[in-house]
Amino acid sequence: MRNSTRSTRRSRRVGEPTAPGATISYDDFVTVDIRVGTVVKAEPFPQARKPAFKLHIDFGEPIGVKRSSAQITAHYRLEDLIGRQVAAVVNFPPRQIGPFMSEVLTLGFPDATGEVVLIGPSLPVPNGGRLF
């Protein structure tokens, strides 16, 4: 009878987040295309299940203006979003959110109560710049 040791390491499933402190390869990182863009239009999104806004974000050429549904109503007013630069994942497939097609994932961190705080550059940068 063969004495085999079974590995306690298991592979991650697609869509499963990595554990804090887990490592990924640089090749994994570069597959996620995170770009900066400027919000050019922000609208209410009353049809969303959770309070959200519809954002139109200009990523410059060749990406152009893309749409995003963002649950950011706790900290942001529509008029304050116009002209703000934000970071977003631009290479996810579009996702239908109620009657709205969200084309990019706008990025943020949760505050102490779980509400989204947007991330973006601390100084103006050209639209379309890629995170590295």
PDB file of all heavy atoms in Angstrom, residues 69-96:
ATOM      1  N   SER A  69     -22.817  51.285 -13.589  1.00  0.00           N
ATOM      2  CA  SER A  69     -23.740  51.425 -12.469  1.00  0.00           C
ATOM      3  C   SER A  69     -22.895  51.379 -11.206  1.00  0.00           C
ATOM      4  O   SER A  69     -22.102  50.460 -11.021  1.00  0.00           O
ATOM      5  CB  SER A  69     -24.746  50.271 -12.467  1.00  0.00           C
ATOM      6  OG  SER A  69     -25.501  50.277 -11.280  1.00  0.00           O
ATOM      7  N   ALA A  70     -23.050  52.387 -10.352  1.00  0.00           N
ATOM      8  CA  ALA A  70     -22.210  52.461  -9.149  1.00  0.00           C
ATOM      9  C   ALA A  70     -23.055  52.728  -7.905  1.00  0.00           C
ATOM     10  O   ALA A  70     -23.836  53.683  -7.880  1.00  0.00           O
ATOM     11  CB  ALA A  70     -21.155  53.558  -9.326  1.00  0.00           C
ATOM     12  N   GLN A  71     -22.884  51.897  -6.893  1.00  0.00           N
ATOM     13  CA  GLN A  71     -23.605  52.043  -5.620  1.00  0.00           C
ATOM     14  C   GLN A  71     -22.815  52.989  -4.716  1.00  0.00           C
ATOM     15  O   GLN A  71     -22.198  52.579  -3.740  1.00  0.00           O
ATOM     16  CB  GLN A  71     -23.804  50.684  -4.968  1.00  0.00           C
ATOM     17  CG  GLN A  71     -24.687  49.772  -5.791  1.00  0.00           C
ATOM     18  CD  GLN A  71     -24.757  48.366  -5.218  1.00  0.00           C
ATOM     19  OE1 GLN A  71     -24.114  48.034  -4.242  1.00  0.00           O
ATOM     20  NE2 GLN A  71     -25.551  47.539  -5.857  1.00  0.00           N
ATOM     21  N   ILE A  72     -22.873  54.272  -5.054  1.00  0.00           N
ATOM     22  CA  ILE A  72     -22.049  55.275  -4.365  1.00  0.00           C
ATOM     23  C   ILE A  72     -22.889  56.425  -3.815  1.00  0.00           C
ATOM     24  O   ILE A  72     -22.362  57.506  -3.550  1.00  0.00           O
ATOM     25  CB  ILE A  72     -20.962  55.823  -5.320  1.00  0.00           C
ATOM     26  CG1 ILE A  72     -21.589  56.386  -6.593  1.00  0.00           C
ATOM     27  CG2 ILE A  72     -19.947  54.734  -5.655  1.00  0.00           C
ATOM     28  CD1 ILE A  72     -20.612  57.095  -7.507  1.00  0.00           C
ATOM     29  N   THR A  73     -24.177  56.188  -3.613  1.00  0.00           N
ATOM     30  CA  THR A  73     -25.079  57.272  -3.217  1.00  0.00           C
ATOM     31  C   THR A  73     -24.869  57.771  -1.781  1.00  0.00           C
ATOM     32  O   THR A  73     -25.307  58.873  -1.453  1.00  0.00           O
ATOM     33  CB  THR A  73     -26.544  56.839  -3.390  1.00  0.00           C
ATOM     34  OG1 THR A  73     -26.782  55.679  -2.586  1.00  0.00           O
ATOM     35  CG2 THR A  73     -26.850  56.531  -4.844  1.00  0.00           C
ATOM     36  N   ALA A  74     -24.214  56.999  -0.941  1.00  0.00           N
ATOM     37  CA  ALA A  74     -24.032  57.410   0.462  1.00  0.00           C
ATOM     38  C   ALA A  74     -23.069  58.594   0.599  1.00  0.00           C
ATOM     39  O   ALA A  74     -23.283  59.464   1.444  1.00  0.00           O
ATOM     40  CB  ALA A  74     -23.530  56.239   1.304  1.00  0.00           C
ATOM     41  N   HIS A  75     -22.028  58.614  -0.227  1.00  0.00           N
ATOM     42  CA  HIS A  75     -20.995  59.647  -0.075  1.00  0.00           C
ATOM     43  C   HIS A  75     -20.945  60.677  -1.190  1.00  0.00           C
ATOM     44  O   HIS A  75     -20.204  61.659  -1.081  1.00  0.00           O
ATOM     45  CB  HIS A  75     -19.614  58.995   0.020  1.00  0.00           C
ATOM     46  CG  HIS A  75     -19.413  58.197   1.266  1.00  0.00           C
ATOM     47  ND1 HIS A  75     -19.552  58.712   2.534  1.00  0.00           N
ATOM     48  CD2 HIS A  75     -19.095  56.889   1.436  1.00  0.00           C
ATOM     49  CE1 HIS A  75     -19.323  57.774   3.432  1.00  0.00           C
ATOM     50  NE2 HIS A  75     -19.045  56.649   2.796  1.00  0.00           N
ATOM     51  N   TYR A  76     -21.683  60.465  -2.275  1.00  0.00           N
ATOM     52  CA  TYR A  76     -21.528  61.328  -3.446  1.00  0.00           C
ATOM     53  C   TYR A  76     -22.872  61.854  -3.925  1.00  0.00           C
ATOM     54  O   TYR A  76     -23.882  61.172  -3.845  1.00  0.00           O
ATOM     55  CB  TYR A  76     -20.836  60.559  -4.582  1.00  0.00           C
ATOM     56  CG  TYR A  76     -19.496  60.015  -4.159  1.00  0.00           C
ATOM     57  CD1 TYR A  76     -19.364  58.702  -3.719  1.00  0.00           C
ATOM     58  CD2 TYR A  76     -18.365  60.829  -4.158  1.00  0.00           C
ATOM     59  CE1 TYR A  76     -18.135  58.207  -3.301  1.00  0.00           C
ATOM     60  CE2 TYR A  76     -17.141  60.336  -3.739  1.00  0.00           C
ATOM     61  CZ  TYR A  76     -17.030  59.031  -3.306  1.00  0.00           C
ATOM     62  OH  TYR A  76     -15.819  58.543  -2.891  1.00  0.00           O
ATOM     63  N   ARG A  77     -22.840  63.099  -4.422  1.00  0.00           N
ATOM     64  CA  ARG A  77     -24.007  63.702  -5.069  1.00  0.00           C
ATOM     65  C   ARG A  77     -23.729  63.729  -6.563  1.00  0.00           C
ATOM     66  O   ARG A  77     -22.563  63.850  -6.986  1.00  0.00           O
ATOM     67  CB  ARG A  77     -24.236  65.115  -4.554  1.00  0.00           C
ATOM     68  CG  ARG A  77     -24.558  65.156  -3.066  1.00  0.00           C
ATOM     69  CD  ARG A  77     -24.810  66.559  -2.568  1.00  0.00           C
ATOM     70  NE  ARG A  77     -23.795  67.478  -3.099  1.00  0.00           N
ATOM     71  CZ  ARG A  77     -23.830  68.791  -2.976  1.00  0.00           C
ATOM     72  NH1 ARG A  77     -24.814  69.366  -2.347  1.00  0.00           N
ATOM     73  NH2 ARG A  77     -22.875  69.552  -3.482  1.00  0.00           N
ATOM     74  N   LEU A  78     -24.773  63.618  -7.357  1.00  0.00           N
ATOM     75  CA  LEU A  78     -24.604  63.578  -8.811  1.00  0.00           C
ATOM     76  C   LEU A  78     -23.752  64.740  -9.321  1.00  0.00           C
ATOM     77  O   LEU A  78     -22.815  64.540 -10.096  1.00  0.00           O
ATOM     78  CB  LEU A  78     -25.974  63.589  -9.507  1.00  0.00           C
ATOM     79  CG  LEU A  78     -26.811  62.330  -9.333  1.00  0.00           C
ATOM     80  CD1 LEU A  78     -28.222  62.558  -9.841  1.00  0.00           C
ATOM     81  CD2 LEU A  78     -26.155  61.160 -10.056  1.00  0.00           C
ATOM     82  N   GLU A  79     -24.061  65.938  -8.868  1.00  0.00           N
ATOM     83  CA  GLU A  79     -23.347  67.118  -9.374  1.00  0.00           C
ATOM     84  C   GLU A  79     -21.869  67.137  -8.977  1.00  0.00           C
ATOM     85  O   GLU A  79     -21.047  67.745  -9.659  1.00  0.00           O
ATOM     86  CB  GLU A  79     -24.046  68.414  -8.939  1.00  0.00           C
ATOM     87  CG  GLU A  79     -24.181  68.580  -7.440  1.00  0.00           C
ATOM     88  CD  GLU A  79     -25.461  68.001  -6.853  1.00  0.00           C
ATOM     89  OE1 GLU A  79     -26.132  67.179  -7.490  1.00  0.00           O
ATOM     90  OE2 GLU A  79     -25.766  68.379  -5.701  1.00  0.00           O
ATOM     91  N   ASP A  80     -21.510  66.471  -7.898  1.00  0.00           N
ATOM     92  CA  ASP A  80     -20.108  66.440  -7.461  1.00  0.00           C
ATOM     93  C   ASP A  80     -19.285  65.403  -8.231  1.00  0.00           C
ATOM     94  O   ASP A  80     -18.054  65.421  -8.167  1.00  0.00           O
ATOM     95  CB  ASP A  80     -20.019  66.143  -5.965  1.00  0.00           C
ATOM     96  CG  ASP A  80     -20.644  67.245  -5.121  1.00  0.00           C
ATOM     97  OD1 ASP A  80     -20.678  68.414  -5.578  1.00  0.00           O
ATOM     98  OD2 ASP A  80     -21.121  66.934  -4.008  1.00  0.00           O
ATOM     99  N   LEU A  81     -19.954  64.489  -8.924  1.00  0.00           N
ATOM    100  CA  LEU A  81     -19.242  63.444  -9.658  1.00  0.00           C
ATOM    101  C   LEU A  81     -18.722  63.926 -11.008  1.00  0.00           C
ATOM    102  O   LEU A  81     -17.703  63.429 -11.490  1.00  0.00           O
ATOM    103  CB  LEU A  81     -20.147  62.230  -9.851  1.00  0.00           C
ATOM    104  CG  LEU A  81     -20.479  61.478  -8.567  1.00  0.00           C
ATOM    105  CD1 LEU A  81     -21.629  60.513  -8.805  1.00  0.00           C
ATOM    106  CD2 LEU A  81     -19.241  60.740  -8.060  1.00  0.00           C
ATOM    107  N   ILE A  82     -19.403  64.899 -11.614  1.00  0.00           N
ATOM    108  CA  ILE A  82     -18.999  65.396 -12.927  1.00  0.00           C
ATOM    109  C   ILE A  82     -17.599  65.997 -12.825  1.00  0.00           C
ATOM    110  O   ILE A  82     -17.319  66.824 -11.974  1.00  0.00           O
ATOM    111  CB  ILE A  82     -19.983  66.452 -13.461  1.00  0.00           C
ATOM    112  CG1 ILE A  82     -21.412  65.927 -13.455  1.00  0.00           C
ATOM    113  CG2 ILE A  82     -19.564  66.928 -14.861  1.00  0.00           C
ATOM    114  CD1 ILE A  82     -21.647  64.690 -14.285  1.00  0.00           C
ATOM    115  N   GLY A  83     -16.698  65.523 -13.689  1.00  0.00           N
ATOM    116  CA  GLY A  83     -15.319  66.010 -13.705  1.00  0.00           C
ATOM    117  C   GLY A  83     -14.381  65.234 -12.801  1.00  0.00           C
ATOM    118  O   GLY A  83     -13.175  65.433 -12.842  1.00  0.00           O
ATOM    119  N   ARG A  84     -14.908  64.350 -11.996  1.00  0.00           N
ATOM    120  CA  ARG A  84     -14.075  63.554 -11.092  1.00  0.00           C
ATOM    121  C   ARG A  84     -13.429  62.400 -11.852  1.00  0.00           C
ATOM    122  O   ARG A  84     -14.074  61.713 -12.636  1.00  0.00           O
ATOM    123  CB  ARG A  84     -14.938  63.003  -9.958  1.00  0.00           C
ATOM    124  CG  ARG A  84     -14.147  62.197  -8.947  1.00  0.00           C
ATOM    125  CD  ARG A  84     -15.085  61.557  -7.918  1.00  0.00           C
ATOM    126  NE  ARG A  84     -14.291  60.862  -6.945  1.00  0.00           N
ATOM    127  CZ  ARG A  84     -13.961  61.324  -5.749  1.00  0.00           C
ATOM    128  NH1 ARG A  84     -14.408  62.496  -5.361  1.00  0.00           N
ATOM    129  NH2 ARG A  84     -13.227  60.628  -4.934  1.00  0.00           N
ATOM    130  N   GLN A  85     -12.151  62.178 -11.597  1.00  0.00           N
ATOM    131  CA  GLN A  85     -11.474  61.032 -12.198  1.00  0.00           C
ATOM    132  C   GLN A  85     -11.619  59.821 -11.286  1.00  0.00           C
ATOM    133  O   GLN A  85     -11.469  59.926 -10.066  1.00  0.00           O
ATOM    134  CB  GLN A  85      -9.997  61.339 -12.442  1.00  0.00           C
ATOM    135  CG  GLN A  85      -9.803  62.310 -13.597  1.00  0.00           C
ATOM    136  CD  GLN A  85      -8.363  62.340 -14.066  1.00  0.00           C
ATOM    137  OE1 GLN A  85      -7.479  62.692 -13.302  1.00  0.00           O
ATOM    138  NE2 GLN A  85      -8.159  61.979 -15.328  1.00  0.00           N
ATOM    139  N   VAL A  86     -11.933  58.683 -11.906  1.00  0.00           N
ATOM    140  CA  VAL A  86     -12.143  57.435 -11.178  1.00  0.00           C
ATOM    141  C   VAL A  86     -11.375  56.314 -11.866  1.00  0.00           C
ATOM    142  O   VAL A  86     -11.033  56.399 -13.041  1.00  0.00           O
ATOM    143  CB  VAL A  86     -13.648  57.065 -11.109  1.00  0.00           C
ATOM    144  CG1 VAL A  86     -14.434  58.106 -10.307  1.00  0.00           C
ATOM    145  CG2 VAL A  86     -14.246  56.891 -12.487  1.00  0.00           C
ATOM    146  N   ALA A  87     -11.134  55.255 -11.114  1.00  0.00           N
ATOM    147  CA  ALA A  87     -10.505  54.058 -11.665  1.00  0.00           C
ATOM    148  C   ALA A  87     -11.597  53.028 -11.954  1.00  0.00           C
ATOM    149  O   ALA A  87     -12.568  52.920 -11.197  1.00  0.00           O
ATOM    150  CB  ALA A  87      -9.484  53.491 -10.681  1.00  0.00           C
ATOM    151  N   ALA A  88     -11.406  52.277 -13.042  1.00  0.00           N
ATOM    152  CA  ALA A  88     -12.389  51.261 -13.402  1.00  0.00           C
ATOM    153  C   ALA A  88     -11.725  50.123 -14.155  1.00  0.00           C
ATOM    154  O   ALA A  88     -10.725  50.321 -14.851  1.00  0.00           O
ATOM    155  CB  ALA A  88     -13.504  51.871 -14.258  1.00  0.00           C
ATOM    156  N   VAL A  89     -12.298  48.933 -14.014  1.00  0.00           N
ATOM    157  CA  VAL A  89     -11.874  47.780 -14.820  1.00  0.00           C
ATOM    158  C   VAL A  89     -12.620  47.903 -16.138  1.00  0.00           C
ATOM    159  O   VAL A  89     -13.854  47.949 -16.158  1.00  0.00           O
ATOM    160  CB  VAL A  89     -12.220  46.450 -14.112  1.00  0.00           C
ATOM    161  CG1 VAL A  89     -11.862  45.267 -15.010  1.00  0.00           C
ATOM    162  CG2 VAL A  89     -11.508  46.352 -12.770  1.00  0.00           C
ATOM    163  N   VAL A  90     -11.862  47.954 -17.238  1.00  0.00           N
ATOM    164  CA  VAL A  90     -12.485  48.175 -18.548  1.00  0.00           C
ATOM    165  C   VAL A  90     -12.548  46.918 -19.411  1.00  0.00           C
ATOM    166  O   VAL A  90     -13.094  46.962 -20.504  1.00  0.00           O
ATOM    167  CB  VAL A  90     -11.780  49.315 -19.316  1.00  0.00           C
ATOM    168  CG1 VAL A  90     -11.889  50.631 -18.555  1.00  0.00           C
ATOM    169  CG2 VAL A  90     -10.335  48.978 -19.616  1.00  0.00           C
ATOM    170  N   ASN A  91     -12.016  45.797 -18.919  1.00  0.00           N
ATOM    171  CA  ASN A  91     -12.027  44.589 -19.757  1.00  0.00           C
ATOM    172  C   ASN A  91     -12.892  43.451 -19.207  1.00  0.00           C
ATOM    173  O   ASN A  91     -12.705  42.301 -19.571  1.00  0.00           O
ATOM    174  CB  ASN A  91     -10.605  44.107 -20.058  1.00  0.00           C
ATOM    175  CG  ASN A  91      -9.836  43.633 -18.853  1.00  0.00           C
ATOM    176  OD1 ASN A  91     -10.106  44.036 -17.716  1.00  0.00           O
ATOM    177  ND2 ASN A  91      -8.857  42.782 -19.079  1.00  0.00           N
ATOM    178  N   PHE A  92     -13.860  43.773 -18.351  1.00  0.00           N
ATOM    179  CA  PHE A  92     -14.878  42.790 -17.983  1.00  0.00           C
ATOM    180  C   PHE A  92     -15.963  42.832 -19.053  1.00  0.00           C
ATOM    181  O   PHE A  92     -16.196  43.882 -19.663  1.00  0.00           O
ATOM    182  CB  PHE A  92     -15.535  43.131 -16.640  1.00  0.00           C
ATOM    183  CG  PHE A  92     -14.702  42.830 -15.424  1.00  0.00           C
ATOM    184  CD1 PHE A  92     -14.998  43.457 -14.225  1.00  0.00           C
ATOM    185  CD2 PHE A  92     -13.658  41.930 -15.448  1.00  0.00           C
ATOM    186  CE1 PHE A  92     -14.254  43.197 -13.073  1.00  0.00           C
ATOM    187  CE2 PHE A  92     -12.920  41.658 -14.310  1.00  0.00           C
ATOM    188  CZ  PHE A  92     -13.220  42.289 -13.130  1.00  0.00           C
ATOM    189  N   PRO A  93     -16.690  41.737 -19.255  1.00  0.00           N
ATOM    190  CA  PRO A  93     -17.806  41.797 -20.199  1.00  0.00           C
ATOM    191  C   PRO A  93     -18.911  42.692 -19.639  1.00  0.00           C
ATOM    192  O   PRO A  93     -19.067  42.803 -18.418  1.00  0.00           O
ATOM    193  CB  PRO A  93     -18.272  40.348 -20.313  1.00  0.00           C
ATOM    194  CG  PRO A  93     -17.725  39.646 -19.119  1.00  0.00           C
ATOM    195  CD  PRO A  93     -16.513  40.399 -18.675  1.00  0.00           C
ATOM    196  N   PRO A  94     -19.692  43.337 -20.507  1.00  0.00           N
ATOM    197  CA  PRO A  94     -20.802  44.165 -20.023  1.00  0.00           C
ATOM    198  C   PRO A  94     -21.761  43.330 -19.177  1.00  0.00           C
ATOM    199  O   PRO A  94     -21.910  42.126 -19.383  1.00  0.00           O
ATOM    200  CB  PRO A  94     -21.494  44.629 -21.315  1.00  0.00           C
ATOM    201  CG  PRO A  94     -20.448  44.518 -22.362  1.00  0.00           C
ATOM    202  CD  PRO A  94     -19.581  43.355 -21.960  1.00  0.00           C
ATOM    203  N   ARG A  95     -22.411  44.001 -18.224  1.00  0.00           N
ATOM    204  CA  ARG A  95     -23.329  43.314 -17.315  1.00  0.00           C
ATOM    205  C   ARG A  95     -24.645  44.081 -17.264  1.00  0.00           C
ATOM    206  O   ARG A  95     -24.660  45.296 -17.047  1.00  0.00           O
ATOM    207  CB  ARG A  95     -22.693  43.248 -15.929  1.00  0.00           C
ATOM    208  CG  ARG A  95     -23.499  42.468 -14.948  1.00  0.00           C
ATOM    209  CD  ARG A  95     -22.732  42.277 -13.671  1.00  0.00           C
ATOM    210  NE  ARG A  95     -23.561  41.531 -12.742  1.00  0.00           N
ATOM    211  CZ  ARG A  95     -23.230  41.270 -11.524  1.00  0.00           C
ATOM    212  NH1 ARG A  95     -22.068  41.678 -11.048  1.00  0.00           N
ATOM    213  NH2 ARG A  95     -24.026  40.590 -10.741  1.00  0.00           N
ATOM    214  N   GLN A  96     -25.729  43.353 -17.437  1.00  0.00           N
ATOM    215  CA  GLN A  96     -27.058  43.964 -17.386  1.00  0.00           C
ATOM    216  C   GLN A  96     -27.460  44.182 -15.933  1.00  0.00           C
ATOM    217  O   GLN A  96     -27.508  43.247 -15.147  1.00  0.00           O
ATOM    218  CB  GLN A  96     -28.073  43.041 -18.071  1.00  0.00           C
ATOM    219  CG  GLN A  96     -29.427  43.662 -18.282  1.00  0.00           C
ATOM    220  CD  GLN A  96     -29.445  44.661 -19.420  1.00  0.00           C
ATOM    221  OE1 GLN A  96     -28.859  44.424 -20.452  1.00  0.00           O
ATOM    222  NE2 GLN A  96     -30.110  45.780 -19.204  1.00  0.00           N
TER     223      GLN A  96
END
